[in-house]
Amino acid sequence: MGARYLRNHRRRRDIIVMLFVSAISTVAQADGTGWYTQDQVAQGRWEYSQKCAACHGDHLQGTGAPSLEGAVFIDQWNGKKLSDLFGYVHTNMPLGMGASLPTQEYADIVGFLLAQNGLPSGTDKLTPASPMDRVLVLNAVTAAAAAGAATKPAAGEIAIGRLYGKLAQPTTTTPTQAELDAADTESENWLMYNKGYRGERYSTLAQIDKNNAGNLKPVCMYQLGEIGTFSTGPVVYDGILYVTTHLSTYAIDAATCKQIWKHSHVAQGPEMNATNRGIALAGGRVIRGTQDGFLYALDAKTGAQLWARQVADWSLGEGIGAAPIVWNDIVYVGKAGSDWGIRGQMMAFNVADGSLAWSFDLIPTFGEPGADTWQKSGSSAHGGGAAWVTFALDRETGTLFVPVGNPGPDYNKSMRPGANLFTESTIALDAHSGKLKWWYQLRANDDHDWDATVVSLFDSGGRKLVATASKQGILHVLTRKDGKLLFKLPVTTLLNQDAPITPKGVRVCPVAGVQWNGAAHSRSTELLYVNAIDWCTVFKLGPDPKWVATVPYTGLANGWGTNDPTSDWSGWINAIDPKSGTMAWRVKWPTPMYAAITPTAGDVLFTGDLAGNFLALDARNGKTLYSFDTGGPIAGGVVTYAIKGKQYVAAASGFSGGSIPLTGSATVVIFSE
């Protein structure tokens, strides 16, 4: 009786709602006040299916990228102007290829989205010239009638730290902590984003050397079937290679490329930056984050989910993009989202269930060290300071090294006078407690979005050192104990770095000198190796921006800047002698160099370029020993490992993301002799 009553009640409610929406649409069609035409919806649906459905789902439900109907869409766009929605879609979609479609196609797609979210049709077609100051009035009732009720949580309903699903145990217990401790020097596996805790990326393998590297050939290729950003760092253990896209995780045979399992996470909210750098692997668990703020663990053998927690708030622009590291049953990872004005935070979680162990605010609060470097009251509230690239750890001293991103707003430093700690810094934390040990700021009060990037630990001349770089294009080498500067050295072209950004505009080099793959160190040659980007841009200052959740908080009048044409770009492969602080050799490259660089005991450097070429170079002089066109830009990891005594090299090839106009499908290419 009760169940029948509820079914009848819901049926009557749905009929009433649909009649209500139909009445609104009829009136709108009669007086021309609708938002789009019915014919336009059909065209928009077709355009959506061709250009958007691969990421957002055939029915807007979200199959990787966020849902575009119901609560998630409503929460983001209700009360905003039509110009906000149209401008966002036009500027950012398809992902990484914004403004690439005819403008009317964008209008048709937006019209389709409005129809699916309950706004009425009319007699006037939506075009780029239509009045765009109309305010979107969306609510769950009309959206449910138009497209089906949404099940995603709305802002304010996010339970940060909540355990989702049942807690399960992995089917294996390896790699063990002893294996992880040996990762920097062990040759068979590649156990972390940068191989081991030190992040040197050096392999003791020498089967492939500078004499036979020219004999390399592709063994197999694995196409993931995705076209989104692919900047992952592969991890290899016990013959299995793990890679990630922004929402999917793959395990393949590291010698044959045969898929073993795949796991996909459906985004629960908007992703500010649809990228993921990779996984951590420990005790039978594959652990990774997502840009909608989740951290979760999968069974390393089966891909089954073991636990999941939301640890960052997507409704504020927060996400998780870095590859975590695990040490002594603690997972270390930070929040991404500086460009959306978050307050950065470094976090540590228990590997068994994802519960929080400690956290450290990367934008200090009142009374904490560095708080006085935000001199204007309230300026730190949206101060940025994300931790979006991977970390290094000194096991001997229990010190965690964290590179910290840009301040917010990115390009308007007058709104936040002071040094703005700990933005664009490398900080050293006690890995057990999260207590601050020291910090080194690469650039104070920056207004160029020059995040600090990956750090690596190495020894040279009897000294324990840290190599850290940034998008400013300068390598800094510090003493590991206290963070004192030993030397710094430009690794790409520098121009107008201290010139004020004005409304008229200033041309600055580089736009991003060293990205998410930082320095590597060879114990054989005793050199540091750094890939760099040589590409300039024009920054034009805009009005003081107002922070709005999930909206870019930059302060420029021209988006993210206007880059020079790609005909003018190039890159550098740099080799630095850390004993003298000078350049040992360098090679200029035709494209910017984003990819990881891997030195080996065979005196070979493995890397790749944006033209899609996998490269083997002589580590002593930079001479090209081997090149192979993988078919897509290489901006992710390049790793080497051994199976049954045979050395392999794997490269992640695919779309690099950001402003790079070169595309390619996500592919793992494996090479051997």
Side-chain angles (χ1 to χ4, degrees):
M1 175 77 97
R4 183 183 303 165
Y5 170 80
L6 286 174
R7 285 196 299 271
N8 291 337
H9 174 75
R10 289 169 182 157
R11 189 178 297 115
R12 288 194 298 270
R13 179 200 64 188
D14 292 344
I15 292 171
I16 292 170
V17 168
M18 285 188 286
L19 289 173
F20 174 67
V21 174
S22 177
I24 293 176
S25 298
T26 302
V27 172
Q29 290 172 359
D31 64 13
T33 59
W35 295 77
Y36 52 85
T37 65
Q38 286 293 341
D39 290 342
Q40 185 172 25
V41 173
Q43 181 64 28
R45 180 181 286 106
W46 186 87
E47 294 293 351
Y48 174 90
S49 69
Q50 301 301 305
K51 312 294 170 53
C52 315
C55 295
H56 292 280
D58 292 337
H59 304 290
L60 290 78
Q61 77 276 19
T63 58
S67 168
L68 295 178
E69 50 88 17
V72 169
F73 185 89
I74 291 168
D75 180 70
Q76 185 172 9
W77 296 108
N78 187 40
K80 304 285 180 63
K81 291 183 179 180
L82 178 59
S83 58
D84 296 328
L85 174 60
F86 181 83
Y88 181 86
V89 173
H90 181 272
T91 302
N92 295 285
M93 298 296 151
L95 186 65
M97 295 181 285
S100 62
L101 307 180
T103 52
Q104 185 55 50
E105 288 188 12
Y106 284 109
D108 294 338
I109 292 170
V110 169
F112 170 60
L113 296 180
L114 297 180
Q116 296 302 106
N117 284 278
L119 288 180
S121 63
T123 58
D124 294 331
K125 184 176 183 178
L126 177 63
T127 74
S130 297
M132 291 282 180
D133 58 349
R134 302 177 69 183
V135 176
L136 300 171
V137 181
L138 304 167
N139 63 70
V141 175
T142 55
T151 59
K152 305 281 193 281
E157 298 176 357
I158 296 171
I160 300 297
R162 171 185 169 189
L163 180 67
Y164 287 81
K166 294 181 179 180
L167 183 64
Q169 298 302 313
T171 57
T172 62
T173 58
T174 55
T176 64
Q177 185 57 55
E179 289 177 294
L180 294 172
D181 287 343
D184 285 297
T185 55
E186 189 264 347
S187 62
E188 297 273 315
N189 303 301
W190 191 279
L191 285 172
M192 303 175 203
Y193 181 93
N194 277 329
K195 192 175 188 296
Y197 292 116
R198 290 166 62 97
E200 287 180 284
R201 299 191 62 85
Y202 176 72
S203 173
T204 58
L205 290 171
Q207 186 181 97
I208 300 169
D209 59 26
K210 61 183 181 181
N211 297 313
N212 61 22
N215 299 327
L216 283 168
K217 57 183 177 294
V219 173
C220 61
M221 302 175 72
Y222 175 73
Q223 290 189 308
L224 282 65
E226 299 190 39
I227 58 174
T229 303
F230 193 52
S231 53
T232 186
V235 167
V236 182
Y237 177 69
D238 194 25
I240 300 177
L241 183 147
Y242 303 90
V243 291
T244 62
T245 58
H246 72 293
L247 287 172
S248 294
T249 308
Y250 298 80
I252 67 173
D253 187 294
T256 67
C257 295
K258 180 180 179 181
Q259 180 176 305
I260 298 171
W261 56 256
K262 172 188 175 182
H263 175 276
S264 293
H265 168 80
V266 177
Q268 303 298 298
E271 298 171 281
M272 302 305 104
N273 193 352
T275 59
N276 182 267
R277 308 293 177 212
I279 68 156
L281 182 66
R285 297 176 177 89
V286 169
I287 301 171
R288 59 158 294 174
T290 63
Q291 292 284 358
D292 63 328
F294 278 81
L295 184 71
Y296 59 86
L298 307 174
D299 188 293
K301 289 294 186 182
T302 68
Q305 185 169 292
L306 304 174
W307 55 257
R309 290 185 187 270
Q310 185 151 18
V311 300
D313 190 345
W314 57 257
S315 73
L316 298 177
E318 298 174 351
I320 305 294
I325 61 173
V326 175
W327 184 54
N328 290 337
D329 296 327
I330 297 293
V331 184
Y332 301 97
V333 76
K335 293 180 180 179
S338 286
D339 301 333
W340 289 265
I342 71 160
R343 288 179 65 101
Q345 191 176 62
M346 189 64 199
M347 302 171 291
F349 301 92
N350 292 297
V351 73
D353 61 3
S355 58
L356 183 68
W358 57 256
S359 64
F360 178 86
D361 292 330
L362 298 172
I363 302 297
T365 55
F366 180 77
E368 295 178 341
D372 58 353
T373 64
W374 297 84
Q375 296 173 3
K376 183 179 179 181
S377 177
S379 62
S380 66
H382 304 292
W388 59 276
V389 288
T390 199
F391 321 101
L393 191 143
D394 186 335
R395 294 186 299 109
E396 293 180 5
T397 62
T399 304
L400 178 70
F401 297 87
V402 181
V404 186
N406 61 275
D410 299 38
Y411 303 99
N412 190 327
K413 66 181 181 180
S414 67
M415 292 178 62
R416 42 175 172 78
N420 304 149
L421 289 174
F422 295 100
T423 66
E424 297 189 19
S425 300
T426 290
I427 64 170
L429 302 177
D430 185 301
H432 303 287
S433 66
K435 183 179 179 180
L436 179 67
K437 291 188 173 183
W438 56 256
W439 72 87
Y440 172 83
Q441 190 169 43
L442 284 71
R443 185 175 174 89
N445 191 223
D446 179 57
D447 55 352
H448 298 80
D449 187 26
W450 279 333
D451 309 71
T453 54
V454 178
V455 295
S456 58
L457 313 181
F458 68 102
D459 301 335
S460 178
R463 297 172 297 189
K464 296 181 182 297
L465 304 175
V466 180
T468 182
S470 75
K471 292 194 290 186
Q472 186 182 3
I474 300 174
L475 175 71
H476 302 244
V477 173
L478 320 173
T479 54
R480 201 182 309 167
K481 180 179 179 181
D482 52 16
K484 301 300 183 185
L485 177 67
L486 187 63
F487 70 86
K488 58 182 180 179
L489 187 69
V491 293
T492 189
T493 300
L494 310 184
L495 176 68
N496 289 331
Q497 294 208 337
D498 296 318
I501 296 178
T502 65
K504 184 178 179 180
V506 59
R507 184 169 177 267
V508 178
C509 304
V511 59
V514 180
Q515 276 282 17
W516 49 85
N517 292 305
H521 177 255
S522 170
R523 300 186 185 188
S524 174
T525 66
E526 298 186 307
L527 298 178
L528 286 168
Y529 300 96
V530 186
N531 278 340
I533 299 152
D534 203 332
W535 199 17
C536 305
T537 192
V538 174
F539 293 132
K540 292 184 179 181
L541 190 66
D544 289 359
K546 180 181 178 181
W547 182 80
V548 178
T550 74
V551 174
Y553 186 54
T554 64
L556 283 189
N558 58 338
W560 301 96
T562 303
N563 295 335
D564 286 358
T566 56
S567 57
D568 294 337
W569 73 7
S570 60
W572 295 96
I573 304 170
N574 300 279
I576 297 101
D577 182 354
K579 294 179 181 178
S580 64
T582 60
M583 196 71 68
W585 58 259
R586 66 193 317 216
V587 176
K588 191 163 188 178
W589 209 258
T591 73
M593 297 298 290
Y594 278 69
I597 190 165
T598 299
T600 73
D603 278 353
V604 176
L605 294 178
F606 296 116
T607 189
D609 66 19
L610 288 189
N613 297 304
F614 164 75
L615 303 167
L617 310 174
D618 189 319
R620 301 282 176 176
N621 54 31
K623 178 184 176 181
T624 301
L625 304 172
Y626 176 76
S627 177
F628 179 85
D629 186 354
T630 64
I634 301 178
V638 180
V639 305
T640 187
Y641 52 93
I643 299 175
K644 296 180 179 179
K646 184 175 184 179
Q647 184 178 356
Y648 294 85
V649 188
S653 168
F655 175 51
S656 308
S659 57
I660 303 300
L662 306 177
T663 60
S665 61
T667 306
V668 176
V669 187
I670 296 177
F671 300 86
S672 191
E673 221 192 330

